[in-house]
Amino acid sequence: MDANTGAARVMVGARPYPGGRPEGGKVSVVIPCYNLARFLGEAIGSVLCQGYADLEIVVVDDGSGDGAGEVAAGYAGADPRVRLIRQENRGLAAARNRGLAGAGGEYVVFLDSDDRLGSGALEGGVRELGAHPGCAFVSGLCRKITADGSVVPGWEQFRVGDDPYLELLRSCPIYVPAVMYRRRVFDAVGGFDPSYRAAEDYDLYYRILERFPVHCHDTLVAEIRRHDANMTRDRT
C-alpha cells in the first residue's frame, strides 16, 4: 500500500481477480508439519485464539516421527474446527497442496508449524480482501521471534514497493504466513509446485502476479520463528 495515498500496489497490466466478495467468509488455515511437534501447539493456538469466528484449521502431518501428529490429534479431538490429515513424507509443497485440497474456506492462509499468527490476523486479512475485491491475495507484515518466542530486536520487514513482481525478483519481501489468498485463485494458477524443495512460495507468487493484482498492507499479522531447524538456515 502506498503510504501517502493508501492505494493498492498492483502490477501494470494485471487484470482484476474475478469472483471476489466484499463480505466475510470462512478462512481455512493450512498448517503443514514435519517433525516440529515442539512448536505445533503454539501455531494451532495462535489460530484458535483469533477473534474471527468463521475458521477452520487443517493440519497436515507430513510423516513426522516426533509426535507432531499426536499433538494435532489432541487439538482435533477437543475442537471441531481442527482437522488432521496424515500422509507419508512428501515435502512441504505437497503437504500444503494436500491441506489446500481439504480446505473448505473461501479464504486460505498457510501457516508453518513453527510460526504464529498475530492477534487479529484473520479479521484483518478478510477486511483487506473486502476492501480490495480485485486482488488475488493480500499480504501484511511479520516480525521475527526466537525459538523461545522472544521478539528479535532490530529486525524490520522490507516493505513492498510499487511493483510487487519486480520486488520479488530482487528478493522475497512477502512471507508465507502474512498472505491471505482467495481460494479460487488456485483454480486459476494451480497450487505449490512439489518439484521445488525450497522457494516454492516464490514460484506461486510469480504465477499469481503474472495474472492478477495483489495488495500489500502495513498491518502486523504474523510471527516467523528462527531456530536451529529452519529450512532457511541453508541460504544456498
Side-chain angles (χ1 to χ4, degrees):
M1 182 171 65
D2 187 289
N4 297 316
T5 67
R9 294 167 180 155
V10 299
M11 252 190 77
V12 175
R15 59 186 177 88
Y17 178 74
R21 274 178 23 192
E23 66 270 22
K26 177 177 283 189
V27 178
S28 298
V29 180
V30 175
I31 305 179
C33 187
Y34 177 66
N35 287 346
L36 286 174
R38 57 179 169 151
F39 300 128
L40 179 58
E42 289 186 51
I44 296 173
S46 75
V47 183
L48 293 177
C49 72
Q50 296 287 310
Y52 193 84
D54 195 4
L55 65 87
E56 66 174 0
I57 302 173
V58 183
V59 180
V60 181
D61 177 17
D62 191 36
S64 298
D66 68 344
E70 286 64 38
V71 172
Y75 280 92
D79 194 316
R81 295 175 295 174
V82 183
R83 289 187 287 120
L84 171 62
I85 298 173
R86 297 179 188 265
Q87 66 178 26
E88 294 182 0
N89 181 248
R90 297 171 54 198
L92 182 55
R96 286 179 179 153
N97 288 340
R98 180 73 180 276
L100 178 64
E106 182 177 355
Y107 311 121
V108 181
V109 172
F110 295 96
L111 177 66
D112 289 345
S113 57
D114 50 355
D115 295 338
R116 304 187 301 208
L117 290 186
S119 175
L122 300 189
E123 185 176 11
V126 172
R127 181 180 63 247
E128 292 291 344
L129 283 171
H132 302 88
C135 290
F137 71 67
V138 295
S139 178
L141 298 178
C142 295
R143 64 184 176 190
K144 287 185 179 181
I145 58 174
T146 62
D148 66 5
S150 302
V151 175
V152 175
W155 182 84
E156 184 175 351
Q157 182 177 338
F158 178 80
R159 264 65 166 179
V160 177
D162 293 331
D163 189 335
Y165 192 81
L166 290 179
E167 297 287 5
L168 283 167
L169 290 175
R170 295 188 182 105
S171 62
C172 190
I174 298 177
Y175 289 85
V176 171
V179 179
M180 182 178 286
Y181 300 87
R182 298 187 191 278
R183 173 65 177 81
R184 289 179 58 192
V185 73
F186 299 100
D187 297 331
V189 303
F192 295 92
D193 187 340
S195 69
Y196 283 80
R197 299 303 298 177
E200 70 292 325
D201 51 333
Y202 292 39
D203 170 69
L204 177 63
Y205 300 150
Y206 296 143
R207 284 186 276 125
I208 291 174
L209 282 162
E210 284 175 345
R211 301 182 59 179
F212 305 114
V214 304
H215 172 69
C216 298
H217 57 92
D218 292 329
T219 303
L220 180 67
V221 296
E223 296 175 320
I224 50 177
R225 196 185 305 260
R226 291 294 169 254
H227 55 88
D228 56 5
N230 279 134
M231 288 178 62
T232 50
R233 286 177 63 86
D234 184 348
R235 301 300 297 177
T236 302

mmCIF file of all heavy atoms in Angstrom, residues 207-235:
data_model
loop_
_atom_site.group_PDB
_atom_site.id
_atom_site.type_symbol
_atom_site.label_atom_id
_atom_site.label_comp_id
_atom_site.label_asym_id
_atom_site.label_seq_id
_atom_site.Cartn_x
_atom_site.Cartn_y
_atom_site.Cartn_z
ATOM 1 N N ARG A 207 3.568 -16.765 -10.309
ATOM 2 C CA ARG A 207 2.464 -17.192 -11.181
ATOM 3 C C ARG A 207 1.203 -16.364 -10.946
ATOM 4 O O ARG A 207 0.467 -16.061 -11.887
ATOM 5 C CB ARG A 207 2.180 -18.679 -10.971
ATOM 6 C CG ARG A 207 3.212 -19.573 -11.640
ATOM 7 C CD ARG A 207 2.840 -21.044 -11.541
ATOM 8 N NE ARG A 207 3.248 -21.631 -10.275
ATOM 9 C CZ ARG A 207 2.446 -22.262 -9.431
ATOM 10 N NH1 ARG A 207 1.166 -22.364 -9.698
ATOM 11 N NH2 ARG A 207 2.925 -22.787 -8.326
ATOM 12 N N ILE A 208 0.953 -16.012 -9.684
ATOM 13 C CA ILE A 208 -0.211 -15.179 -9.402
ATOM 14 C C ILE A 208 -0.016 -13.764 -9.928
ATOM 15 O O ILE A 208 -0.901 -13.187 -10.581
ATOM 16 C CB ILE A 208 -0.486 -15.159 -7.884
ATOM 17 C CG1 ILE A 208 -0.967 -16.542 -7.415
ATOM 18 C CG2 ILE A 208 -1.536 -14.095 -7.540
ATOM 19 C CD1 ILE A 208 -1.128 -16.664 -5.908
ATOM 20 N N LEU A 209 1.175 -13.182 -9.696
ATOM 21 C CA LEU A 209 1.423 -11.802 -10.086
ATOM 22 C C LEU A 209 1.496 -11.608 -11.595
ATOM 23 O O LEU A 209 1.320 -10.490 -12.084
ATOM 24 C CB LEU A 209 2.717 -11.313 -9.433
ATOM 25 C CG LEU A 209 2.562 -10.937 -7.957
ATOM 26 C CD1 LEU A 209 3.906 -10.895 -7.261
ATOM 27 C CD2 LEU A 209 1.862 -9.600 -7.834
ATOM 28 N N GLU A 210 1.746 -12.662 -12.323
ATOM 29 C CA GLU A 210 1.716 -12.559 -13.777
ATOM 30 C C GLU A 210 0.306 -12.304 -14.290
ATOM 31 O O GLU A 210 0.127 -11.777 -15.397
ATOM 32 C CB GLU A 210 2.260 -13.846 -14.406
ATOM 33 C CG GLU A 210 3.763 -13.978 -14.346
ATOM 34 C CD GLU A 210 4.249 -15.320 -14.859
ATOM 35 O OE1 GLU A 210 3.409 -16.241 -14.999
ATOM 36 O OE2 GLU A 210 5.445 -15.439 -15.113
ATOM 37 N N ARG A 211 -0.710 -12.660 -13.478
ATOM 38 C CA ARG A 211 -2.089 -12.608 -13.954
ATOM 39 C C ARG A 211 -2.995 -11.672 -13.166
ATOM 40 O O ARG A 211 -3.974 -11.169 -13.721
ATOM 41 C CB ARG A 211 -2.687 -14.016 -13.935
ATOM 42 C CG ARG A 211 -1.931 -15.013 -14.797
ATOM 43 C CD ARG A 211 -2.570 -16.381 -14.783
ATOM 44 N NE ARG A 211 -3.946 -16.348 -15.256
ATOM 45 C CZ ARG A 211 -4.716 -17.424 -15.353
ATOM 46 N NH1 ARG A 211 -4.244 -18.601 -15.005
ATOM 47 N NH2 ARG A 211 -5.952 -17.318 -15.790
ATOM 48 N N PHE A 212 -2.692 -11.459 -11.891
ATOM 49 C CA PHE A 212 -3.616 -10.719 -11.037
ATOM 50 C C PHE A 212 -2.893 -9.683 -10.185
ATOM 51 O O PHE A 212 -1.735 -9.869 -9.818
ATOM 52 C CB PHE A 212 -4.362 -11.673 -10.098
ATOM 53 C CG PHE A 212 -5.075 -12.795 -10.783
ATOM 54 C CD1 PHE A 212 -4.675 -14.103 -10.592
ATOM 55 C CD2 PHE A 212 -6.145 -12.543 -11.623
ATOM 56 C CE1 PHE A 212 -5.333 -15.146 -11.223
ATOM 57 C CE2 PHE A 212 -6.808 -13.576 -12.261
ATOM 58 C CZ PHE A 212 -6.400 -14.885 -12.059
ATOM 59 N N PRO A 213 -3.596 -8.604 -9.810
ATOM 60 C CA PRO A 213 -3.030 -7.668 -8.836
ATOM 61 C C PRO A 213 -3.106 -8.233 -7.425
ATOM 62 O O PRO A 213 -3.913 -9.118 -7.139
ATOM 63 C CB PRO A 213 -3.921 -6.433 -8.985
ATOM 64 C CG PRO A 213 -5.226 -6.967 -9.467
ATOM 65 C CD PRO A 213 -4.896 -8.162 -10.329
ATOM 66 N N VAL A 214 -2.256 -7.716 -6.559
ATOM 67 C CA VAL A 214 -2.280 -8.069 -5.138
ATOM 68 C C VAL A 214 -2.184 -6.775 -4.339
ATOM 69 O O VAL A 214 -1.872 -5.719 -4.884
ATOM 70 C CB VAL A 214 -1.136 -9.025 -4.756
ATOM 71 C CG1 VAL A 214 -1.171 -10.282 -5.609
ATOM 72 C CG2 VAL A 214 0.220 -8.348 -4.854
ATOM 73 N N HIS A 215 -2.433 -6.891 -3.048
ATOM 74 C CA HIS A 215 -2.391 -5.712 -2.188
ATOM 75 C C HIS A 215 -1.508 -6.005 -0.981
ATOM 76 O O HIS A 215 -1.664 -7.032 -0.323
ATOM 77 C CB HIS A 215 -3.796 -5.346 -1.721
ATOM 78 C CG HIS A 215 -3.826 -4.267 -0.681
ATOM 79 N ND1 HIS A 215 -3.492 -2.970 -0.950
ATOM 80 C CD2 HIS A 215 -4.144 -4.313 0.643
ATOM 81 C CE1 HIS A 215 -3.607 -2.247 0.155
ATOM 82 N NE2 HIS A 215 -3.999 -3.038 1.137
ATOM 83 N N CYS A 216 -0.566 -5.104 -0.697
ATOM 84 C CA CYS A 216 0.313 -5.237 0.461
ATOM 85 C C CYS A 216 -0.023 -4.133 1.457
ATOM 86 O O CYS A 216 -0.047 -2.957 1.100
ATOM 87 C CB CYS A 216 1.777 -5.135 0.039
ATOM 88 S SG CYS A 216 2.299 -6.441 -1.095
ATOM 89 N N HIS A 217 -0.306 -4.539 2.691
ATOM 90 C CA HIS A 217 -0.689 -3.565 3.704
ATOM 91 C C HIS A 217 0.314 -3.598 4.853
ATOM 92 O O HIS A 217 1.185 -4.468 4.922
ATOM 93 C CB HIS A 217 -2.120 -3.834 4.205
ATOM 94 C CG HIS A 217 -2.333 -5.211 4.767
ATOM 95 N ND1 HIS A 217 -2.192 -5.502 6.104
ATOM 96 C CD2 HIS A 217 -2.686 -6.387 4.176
ATOM 97 C CE1 HIS A 217 -2.450 -6.774 6.317
ATOM 98 N NE2 HIS A 217 -2.750 -7.340 5.160
ATOM 99 N N ASP A 218 0.184 -2.656 5.757
ATOM 100 C CA ASP A 218 1.193 -2.459 6.787
ATOM 101 C C ASP A 218 0.733 -2.911 8.175
ATOM 102 O O ASP A 218 1.213 -2.397 9.186
ATOM 103 C CB ASP A 218 1.614 -0.983 6.840
ATOM 104 C CG ASP A 218 2.380 -0.555 5.598
ATOM 105 O OD1 ASP A 218 3.073 -1.410 5.026
ATOM 106 O OD2 ASP A 218 2.281 0.614 5.197
ATOM 107 N N THR A 219 -0.153 -3.884 8.223
ATOM 108 C CA THR A 219 -0.622 -4.431 9.497
ATOM 109 C C THR A 219 0.226 -5.640 9.872
ATOM 110 O O THR A 219 0.469 -6.518 9.034
ATOM 111 C CB THR A 219 -2.096 -4.853 9.397
ATOM 112 O OG1 THR A 219 -2.880 -3.730 8.991
ATOM 113 C CG2 THR A 219 -2.604 -5.377 10.732
ATOM 114 N N LEU A 220 0.668 -5.698 11.123
ATOM 115 C CA LEU A 220 1.414 -6.861 11.610
ATOM 116 C C LEU A 220 0.458 -8.030 11.765
ATOM 117 O O LEU A 220 -0.524 -7.950 12.510
ATOM 118 C CB LEU A 220 2.064 -6.537 12.950
ATOM 119 C CG LEU A 220 2.882 -7.649 13.600
ATOM 120 C CD1 LEU A 220 4.128 -7.952 12.780
ATOM 121 C CD2 LEU A 220 3.256 -7.265 15.032
ATOM 122 N N VAL A 221 0.722 -9.137 11.064
ATOM 123 C CA VAL A 221 -0.218 -10.255 11.073
ATOM 124 C C VAL A 221 0.399 -11.584 11.510
ATOM 125 O O VAL A 221 -0.341 -12.542 11.767
ATOM 126 C CB VAL A 221 -0.889 -10.439 9.692
ATOM 127 C CG1 VAL A 221 -1.740 -9.236 9.343
ATOM 128 C CG2 VAL A 221 0.150 -10.695 8.605
ATOM 129 N N ALA A 222 1.728 -11.688 11.578
ATOM 130 C CA ALA A 222 2.311 -12.994 11.881
ATOM 131 C C ALA A 222 3.691 -12.851 12.493
ATOM 132 O O ALA A 222 4.347 -11.806 12.376
ATOM 133 C CB ALA A 222 2.387 -13.860 10.620
ATOM 134 N N GLU A 223 4.129 -13.931 13.132
ATOM 135 C CA GLU A 223 5.475 -14.029 13.692
ATOM 136 C C GLU A 223 6.165 -15.236 13.074
ATOM 137 O O GLU A 223 5.620 -16.343 13.076
ATOM 138 C CB GLU A 223 5.405 -14.189 15.211
ATOM 139 C CG GLU A 223 4.789 -12.977 15.904
ATOM 140 C CD GLU A 223 4.616 -13.186 17.393
ATOM 141 O OE1 GLU A 223 4.224 -14.312 17.793
ATOM 142 O OE2 GLU A 223 4.851 -12.237 18.153
ATOM 143 N N ILE A 224 7.343 -15.013 12.522
ATOM 144 C CA ILE A 224 8.115 -16.092 11.911
ATOM 145 C C ILE A 224 9.276 -16.439 12.841
ATOM 146 O O ILE A 224 10.018 -15.576 13.269
ATOM 147 C CB ILE A 224 8.606 -15.702 10.501
ATOM 148 C CG1 ILE A 224 9.292 -14.334 10.490
ATOM 149 C CG2 ILE A 224 7.448 -15.716 9.520
ATOM 150 C CD1 ILE A 224 9.864 -13.943 9.147
ATOM 151 N N ARG A 225 9.391 -17.721 13.126
ATOM 152 C CA ARG A 225 10.350 -18.165 14.133
ATOM 153 C C ARG A 225 11.665 -18.585 13.491
ATOM 154 O O ARG A 225 11.690 -19.272 12.479
ATOM 155 C CB ARG A 225 9.764 -19.345 14.914
ATOM 156 C CG ARG A 225 10.496 -19.622 16.223
ATOM 157 C CD ARG A 225 9.949 -20.882 16.895
ATOM 158 N NE ARG A 225 8.536 -20.875 17.111
ATOM 159 C CZ ARG A 225 7.936 -20.582 18.278
ATOM 160 N NH1 ARG A 225 8.669 -20.240 19.322
ATOM 161 N NH2 ARG A 225 6.626 -20.635 18.387
ATOM 162 N N ARG A 226 12.751 -18.171 14.115
ATOM 163 C CA ARG A 226 14.083 -18.562 13.677
ATOM 164 C C ARG A 226 14.684 -19.497 14.725
ATOM 165 O O ARG A 226 14.756 -19.167 15.910
ATOM 166 C CB ARG A 226 14.970 -17.327 13.487
ATOM 167 C CG ARG A 226 14.524 -16.474 12.297
ATOM 168 C CD ARG A 226 14.728 -17.234 10.994
ATOM 169 N NE ARG A 226 14.094 -16.600 9.836
ATOM 170 C CZ ARG A 226 12.994 -17.038 9.258
ATOM 171 N NH1 ARG A 226 12.376 -18.088 9.745
ATOM 172 N NH2 ARG A 226 12.513 -16.442 8.184
ATOM 173 N N HIS A 227 15.098 -20.689 14.267
ATOM 174 C CA HIS A 227 15.641 -21.694 15.188
ATOM 175 C C HIS A 227 16.586 -22.608 14.428
ATOM 176 O O HIS A 227 16.784 -22.450 13.211
ATOM 177 C CB HIS A 227 14.502 -22.495 15.840
ATOM 178 C CG HIS A 227 13.575 -23.132 14.851
ATOM 179 N ND1 HIS A 227 13.785 -24.384 14.324
ATOM 180 C CD2 HIS A 227 12.418 -22.679 14.290
ATOM 181 C CE1 HIS A 227 12.799 -24.679 13.496
ATOM 182 N NE2 HIS A 227 11.962 -23.673 13.449
ATOM 183 N N ASP A 228 17.150 -23.589 15.101
ATOM 184 C CA ASP A 228 18.216 -24.386 14.504
ATOM 185 C C ASP A 228 17.754 -25.368 13.440
ATOM 186 O O ASP A 228 18.575 -25.960 12.744
ATOM 187 C CB ASP A 228 18.994 -25.137 15.591
ATOM 188 C CG ASP A 228 18.101 -26.012 16.467
ATOM 189 O OD1 ASP A 228 16.887 -26.125 16.175
ATOM 190 O OD2 ASP A 228 18.618 -26.583 17.449
ATOM 191 N N ALA A 229 16.442 -25.539 13.285
ATOM 192 C CA ALA A 229 15.938 -26.483 12.285
ATOM 193 C C ALA A 229 15.282 -25.794 11.098
ATOM 194 O O ALA A 229 14.677 -26.454 10.259
ATOM 195 C CB ALA A 229 14.930 -27.447 12.931
ATOM 196 N N ASN A 230 15.381 -24.466 10.982
ATOM 197 C CA ASN A 230 14.792 -23.753 9.854
ATOM 198 C C ASN A 230 15.380 -24.209 8.527
ATOM 199 O O ASN A 230 16.597 -24.347 8.391
ATOM 200 C CB ASN A 230 15.041 -22.255 9.968
ATOM 201 C CG ASN A 230 14.093 -21.544 10.897
ATOM 202 O OD1 ASN A 230 14.520 -20.748 11.707
ATOM 203 N ND2 ASN A 230 12.808 -21.809 10.797
ATOM 204 N N MET A 231 14.514 -24.386 7.511
ATOM 205 C CA MET A 231 14.999 -24.638 6.169
ATOM 206 C C MET A 231 15.811 -23.456 5.659
ATOM 207 O O MET A 231 16.780 -23.612 4.915
ATOM 208 C CB MET A 231 13.810 -24.866 5.213
ATOM 209 C CG MET A 231 13.103 -26.186 5.395
ATOM 210 S SD MET A 231 11.700 -26.343 4.264
ATOM 211 C CE MET A 231 12.544 -26.281 2.683
ATOM 212 N N THR A 232 15.422 -22.217 6.039
ATOM 213 C CA THR A 232 16.077 -21.024 5.511
ATOM 214 C C THR A 232 17.465 -20.792 6.106
ATOM 215 O O THR A 232 18.159 -19.856 5.711
ATOM 216 C CB THR A 232 15.207 -19.786 5.773
ATOM 217 O OG1 THR A 232 14.808 -19.767 7.156
ATOM 218 C CG2 THR A 232 13.976 -19.805 4.894
ATOM 219 N N ARG A 233 17.889 -21.638 7.060
ATOM 220 C CA ARG A 233 19.269 -21.536 7.546
ATOM 221 C C ARG A 233 20.261 -21.891 6.438
ATOM 222 O O ARG A 233 21.391 -21.442 6.435
ATOM 223 C CB ARG A 233 19.469 -22.448 8.766
ATOM 224 C CG ARG A 233 18.820 -21.909 10.028
ATOM 225 C CD ARG A 233 19.001 -22.893 11.166
ATOM 226 N NE ARG A 233 20.398 -23.084 11.511
ATOM 227 C CZ ARG A 233 21.081 -22.322 12.362
ATOM 228 N NH1 ARG A 233 20.486 -21.312 12.947
ATOM 229 N NH2 ARG A 233 22.347 -22.580 12.645
ATOM 230 N N ASP A 234 19.815 -22.731 5.487
ATOM 231 C CA ASP A 234 20.644 -23.087 4.351
ATOM 232 C C ASP A 234 20.334 -22.121 3.210
ATOM 233 O O ASP A 234 19.442 -22.370 2.409
ATOM 234 C CB ASP A 234 20.362 -24.532 3.917
ATOM 235 C CG ASP A 234 21.271 -24.999 2.792
ATOM 236 O OD1 ASP A 234 21.958 -24.159 2.189
ATOM 237 O OD2 ASP A 234 21.269 -26.207 2.524
ATOM 238 N N ARG A 235 21.011 -20.986 3.157
ATOM 239 C CA ARG A 235 20.681 -19.953 2.194
ATOM 240 C C ARG A 235 20.902 -20.406 0.746
ATOM 241 O O ARG A 235 20.161 -20.004 -0.143
ATOM 242 C CB ARG A 235 21.519 -18.704 2.464
ATOM 243 C CG ARG A 235 21.332 -18.100 3.850
ATOM 244 C CD ARG A 235 19.890 -17.687 4.078
ATOM 245 N NE ARG A 235 19.455 -16.642 3.179
ATOM 246 C CZ ARG A 235 18.212 -16.147 3.150
ATOM 247 N NH1 ARG A 235 17.286 -16.630 3.962
ATOM 248 N NH2 ARG A 235 17.886 -15.205 2.291
#
